Short mmCIF file of all heavy atoms in Angstrom, two decimals:
data_model
loop_
_atom_site.label_atom_id
_atom_site.label_comp_id
_atom_site.label_asym_id
_atom_site.label_seq_id
_atom_site.Cartn_x
_atom_site.Cartn_y
_atom_site.Cartn_z
N PRO E 388 -70.95 -1.52 42.69
CA PRO E 388 -71.76 -1.72 43.89
C PRO E 388 -73.25 -1.87 43.58
O PRO E 388 -73.79 -1.17 42.73
CB PRO E 388 -71.51 -0.46 44.69
CG PRO E 388 -71.24 0.59 43.65
CD PRO E 388 -70.52 -0.11 42.55
N PHE E 399 -76.32 1.55 50.18
CA PHE E 399 -75.19 0.71 49.81
C PHE E 399 -74.53 0.16 51.07
O PHE E 399 -74.10 0.93 51.95
CB PHE E 399 -74.17 1.51 49.00
CG PHE E 399 -74.68 1.95 47.67
CD1 PHE E 399 -75.28 3.19 47.52
CD2 PHE E 399 -74.57 1.13 46.55
CE1 PHE E 399 -75.77 3.60 46.30
CE2 PHE E 399 -75.05 1.54 45.32
CZ PHE E 399 -75.66 2.78 45.19
N PHE E 410 -71.14 1.20 53.20
CA PHE E 410 -69.90 1.45 52.48
C PHE E 410 -69.19 2.68 53.03
O PHE E 410 -69.83 3.69 53.36
CB PHE E 410 -70.20 1.76 51.00
CG PHE E 410 -70.01 0.60 50.08
CD1 PHE E 410 -71.08 -0.20 49.72
CD2 PHE E 410 -68.76 0.34 49.54
CE1 PHE E 410 -70.91 -1.24 48.84
CE2 PHE E 410 -68.58 -0.69 48.66
CZ PHE E 410 -69.65 -1.50 48.30
N LEU E 411 -67.87 2.61 53.09
CA LEU E 411 -67.09 3.83 53.24
C LEU E 411 -67.17 4.59 51.92
O LEU E 411 -67.25 4.00 50.84
CB LEU E 411 -65.63 3.51 53.56
CG LEU E 411 -65.37 2.78 54.89
CD1 LEU E 411 -63.89 2.42 54.99
CD2 LEU E 411 -65.80 3.64 56.06
N ILE E 412 -67.17 5.92 51.97
CA ILE E 412 -67.28 6.73 50.75
C ILE E 412 -66.18 6.36 49.76
O ILE E 412 -66.42 6.22 48.56
CB ILE E 412 -67.22 8.23 51.09
CG1 ILE E 412 -68.47 8.64 51.89
CG2 ILE E 412 -67.11 9.06 49.82
CD1 ILE E 412 -69.77 8.46 51.13
N SER E 413 -64.98 6.19 50.26
CA SER E 413 -63.85 5.88 49.37
C SER E 413 -64.06 4.54 48.67
O SER E 413 -63.73 4.38 47.49
CB SER E 413 -62.54 5.85 50.16
OG SER E 413 -62.60 4.89 51.20
N GLU E 414 -64.62 3.55 49.40
CA GLU E 414 -64.88 2.25 48.80
C GLU E 414 -65.99 2.33 47.76
O GLU E 414 -65.92 1.70 46.70
CB GLU E 414 -65.26 1.24 49.89
CG GLU E 414 -64.14 0.94 50.86
CD GLU E 414 -64.61 0.12 52.05
OE1 GLU E 414 -65.81 0.20 52.41
OE2 GLU E 414 -63.78 -0.61 52.61
N LEU E 415 -67.01 3.10 48.07
CA LEU E 415 -68.12 3.26 47.13
C LEU E 415 -67.63 3.91 45.84
O LEU E 415 -67.98 3.47 44.74
CB LEU E 415 -69.21 4.11 47.78
CG LEU E 415 -70.47 4.34 46.93
CD1 LEU E 415 -71.13 3.04 46.55
CD2 LEU E 415 -71.45 5.24 47.68
N ILE E 416 -66.82 4.95 45.97
CA ILE E 416 -66.28 5.63 44.79
C ILE E 416 -65.44 4.67 43.96
O ILE E 416 -65.55 4.61 42.73
CB ILE E 416 -65.45 6.86 45.20
CG1 ILE E 416 -66.38 7.93 45.77
CG2 ILE E 416 -64.66 7.41 44.00
CD1 ILE E 416 -65.63 9.11 46.37
N GLN E 417 -64.61 3.87 44.64
CA GLN E 417 -63.75 2.94 43.93
C GLN E 417 -64.57 1.92 43.15
O GLN E 417 -64.30 1.64 41.97
CB GLN E 417 -62.83 2.20 44.93
CG GLN E 417 -61.90 1.18 44.29
CD GLN E 417 -60.95 1.80 43.29
OE1 GLN E 417 -60.47 2.92 43.48
NE2 GLN E 417 -60.69 1.10 42.20
N ASP E 418 -65.61 1.34 43.78
CA ASP E 418 -66.43 0.36 43.09
C ASP E 418 -67.23 0.99 41.96
O ASP E 418 -67.45 0.36 40.91
CB ASP E 418 -67.37 -0.33 44.08
CG ASP E 418 -66.69 -1.48 44.81
OD1 ASP E 418 -65.47 -1.65 44.62
OD2 ASP E 418 -67.37 -2.22 45.54
N LEU E 419 -67.70 2.22 42.15
CA LEU E 419 -68.40 2.91 41.08
C LEU E 419 -67.48 3.14 39.88
O LEU E 419 -67.89 3.00 38.73
CB LEU E 419 -68.97 4.23 41.59
CG LEU E 419 -70.21 4.13 42.49
CD1 LEU E 419 -70.51 5.47 43.12
CD2 LEU E 419 -71.42 3.63 41.71
N LEU E 420 -66.23 3.49 40.17
CA LEU E 420 -65.26 3.69 39.08
C LEU E 420 -65.01 2.39 38.33
O LEU E 420 -64.93 2.37 37.10
CB LEU E 420 -63.94 4.24 39.63
CG LEU E 420 -63.94 5.71 40.04
CD1 LEU E 420 -62.61 6.08 40.69
CD2 LEU E 420 -64.20 6.60 38.84
#
Side-chain angles (χ1 to χ4, degrees):
F399 294 92
F410 261 96
L411 297 175
I412 293 298
S413 59
E414 294 171 333
L415 182 59
I416 291 172
Q417 179 61 37
D418 276 6
L419 285 170
L420 285 175

